[in-house]
Each structure stands twice: as C-alpha cells, then as structure tokens.
Amino acid sequence: MIDNNIYQNPLITRYASPEMAENFGDKKRFTLWRKLWVALAEAEMELGLNISKSQIDEMKKYADDVNFEVAEKYEREVRHDVMAHVHAFGDQAKSAMPIIHLGATSCFVDCNSELIILNDALKIIKSKLVNVMDKLRTFALKYKNMPTLGFTHLQPAQLTTVGKRATLWLQDLTMDYNNLVNLQASLKLRGVKGTTGTQASFMELFGGDEDKVKTLEKLVVKKLGYEKVLPVKPIRGSSITMCFAYFRRLPKARTNFQTISVFYRI
C-alpha cells in the first residue's frame, strides 16, 4: 500500500517492473551485505583464523532477516550505514559479533554488492530482451510477404515487406544482446581490498602471509558465484561504481539515481 504522506517517485512506482524495483531495493542490498560477511568469515575460518562454525551458522541464520529498524537506530547514533548494519547484524548473531566484517572496510560490502546488483539487473534485462526478440522473430516471419513502402530521408523509396522491416529492428536487438553478454562476461568484483585499494588489514590478520591473502580473495569471490576480481582498485572504486554507491547512500538522491538506471519495462 502506497503511503500518500511521503514522496513517491512516479517513474519508479508507475514504470519499473516489480523484479527490477526489488533488485535495487534496500532488502536486496543489505541482504547482500550479510552474505558478503558470511562468505568472508567462512573463507577466513578455512584459512586458519579463530572463527568457529557455530558463529558462521548463526550468521547464516539471520542473513535474510534484516532488522531495518534496529539498523536505523544505530545509524542515528554512529552516523555510518555500514557500521550500523554491522551492529544490527551482531544484535541477532550475537556470538559472531566480534568477527562480522573482520579485516574489511565499507568498500568490501558497498562496492561488491553494487556490482552484484548491477549484474543481476543485466540478467533481468537480458531475459526480457530475449522474449522481445522471440516475439519480433514471430512477427517478422508472419508478415514476411506483406508489402509496404520503404522510405529514405522521409521520401517514398522502394517496396519492401513488413517482415523485412522487422528484421532490421531484430538485428539491432541482437547486437544489444551480444553487448549485454560481453558486458556480463567481463564483469569483475572488487574482492577483499580496502578503501585505498590495499589489503594491509588482511596482511596483518594473516601475519604477513601474502599467499593466504590472495587465496582469501579467491575464496570469497567464488563463494559469491564469481571468478574474476579487479586486480587494482583505487580509493572507493571506478567512477561509475563510486557514483552509484554514493547516491544509494542518500535517500532522496538515491531515488533520482535509480530513475536513470535500468528501470523500465520491456
């Protein structure tokens, strides 16, 4: 039910598909944060840090149960969204509180979750695009023999067919599909690098063992269903990811930024 007492962005409430709106919602975002923390803790445990399976099991128990009101309360106190959610998660998974976010910075959850959200958005678009291409193919075949007048420079030109015209649109969508596939194939997560792009905190945790730190990153990314990571990261991230993450932190600006994202029905 829409609350008419608060601002609603009509471009989202009217035009966004339900799955796309949910993909960019806070529930999805903060659940991803928790899954990132679980993956990190599991990998750290497997590499020898003092983390127990019972702590991880408790984290998993509450991974999908985000206590928003508690997080909002903490954010008013600490003025930091990530730390607010660390404390809120810790209130639920009490035994795991000391190891939640261990060695990580805000960028670990912020940038990685945004990249996953963007990739999931591309999946939604690709699925819808394939459906449109299939319908357009059926349309082109149905009207392949129906004559129509072709135009060039707004002037009548030669006869063609409605089906032939439709293949031109289908060809463009095929190129769009290929671009989406290539974009997804090249997507890389941020991995377990700190705010300035270093892994100093993890080097300290593992006693300077560089091989373990490299293995940690591979394990975490694999647990999230990915394989590739960006080899070098600056402060925050690329300008696009940084801009996306920044606007999502601001309630009013967040809505405006989502408007220019991939919110549309196909």
Side-chain angles (χ1 to χ4, degrees):
M1 181 177 180
I2 296 176
D3 183 355
N4 293 313
N5 293 315
I6 62 174
Y7 173 75
Q8 296 284 338
N9 188 325
L11 294 180
I12 293 176
T13 56
R14 293 178 187 173
Y15 306 119
S17 65
E19 58 267 46
M20 192 65 83
E22 290 178 6
N23 183 64
F24 282 89
D26 282 345
K27 171 66 174 176
K28 169 76 174 279
R29 181 189 184 210
F30 296 132
T31 299
L32 275 174
W33 284 14
R34 294 187 172 198
K35 290 181 178 179
L36 280 157
W37 285 324
V38 169
L40 178 63
E42 279 187 325
E44 290 174 333
M45 180 186 70
E46 292 169 12
L47 291 171
L49 292 191
N50 186 23
I51 297 173
S52 68
K53 185 177 183 300
S54 62
Q55 288 175 306
I56 292 173
D57 287 342
E58 193 171 20
M59 291 172 70
K60 289 181 177 179
K61 178 181 178 181
Y62 295 103
D64 295 317
D65 185 19
V66 181
N67 45 348
F68 287 98
E69 291 183 0
V70 175
E72 290 169 5
K73 172 181 170 292
Y74 275 119
E75 187 165 355
R76 286 193 293 270
E77 296 174 5
V78 301
R79 311 298 295 173
H80 194 288
D81 58 346
V82 175
M83 292 313 300
H85 277 270
V86 168
H87 285 290
F89 196 13
D91 280 1
Q92 294 172 308
K94 290 180 171 57
S95 69
M97 180 59 191
I99 55 96
I100 296 174
H101 199 66
L102 184 61
T105 66
S106 301
C107 290
F108 170 68
V109 289
D110 233 354
C111 296
N112 283 310
S113 64
E114 303 297 350
L115 287 165
I116 293 171
I117 287 170
L118 288 172
N119 190 41
D120 288 347
L122 292 177
K123 291 177 183 178
I124 294 172
I125 294 174
K126 188 168 70 173
S127 175
K128 291 176 179 287
L129 180 58
V130 169
N131 289 334
V132 172
M133 292 168 67
D134 180 64
K135 293 180 184 298
L136 197 53
R137 172 185 177 275
T138 301
F139 177 87
L141 290 173
K142 180 177 180 180
Y143 294 103
K144 65 180 181 179
N145 295 320
M146 178 178 284
T148 186
L149 189 60
F151 280 70
T152 177
H153 301 86
L154 303 180
Q155 300 297 318
Q158 295 177 329
L159 282 175
T160 183
T161 69
V162 172
K164 170 62 168 55
R165 294 288 296 274
T167 63
L168 298 176
W169 311 327
L170 182 57
Q171 179 174 258
D172 285 346
L173 294 182
T174 301
M175 290 188 287
D176 292 336
Y177 175 84
N178 290 333
N179 286 334
L180 283 175
V181 171
N182 292 333
L183 179 59
Q184 286 189 287
S186 65
L187 188 138
K188 300 176 181 179
L189 293 188
R190 190 181 209 281
V192 290
K193 301 173 184 67
T195 303
T196 60
T198 71
Q199 296 175 308
S201 57
F202 295 107
M203 286 289 285
E204 184 176 347
L205 282 173
F206 289 102
D209 191 329
E210 186 176 345
D211 289 336
K212 280 193 174 182
V213 175
K214 289 181 178 179
T215 302
L216 174 72
E217 184 164 64
K218 292 178 181 178
L219 284 174
V220 170
V221 170
K222 185 176 181 180
K223 290 176 183 295
L224 296 168
Y226 290 80
E227 297 180 359
K228 302 174 183 178
V229 295
L230 293 166
V232 180
K233 288 297 295 178
I235 294 177
R236 277 294 169 192
S238 69
S239 57
I240 294 176
T241 305
M242 178 179 175
C243 181
F244 188 81
Y246 172 74
F247 272 91
R248 282 181 60 83
R249 286 171 178 263
L250 304 176
K252 292 183 179 179
R254 181 186 307 167
T255 302
N256 293 332
F257 190 78
Q258 288 173 335
T259 299
I260 62 171
S261 299
V262 286
F263 273 55
Y264 63 88
R265 293 183 184 271
I266 297 180

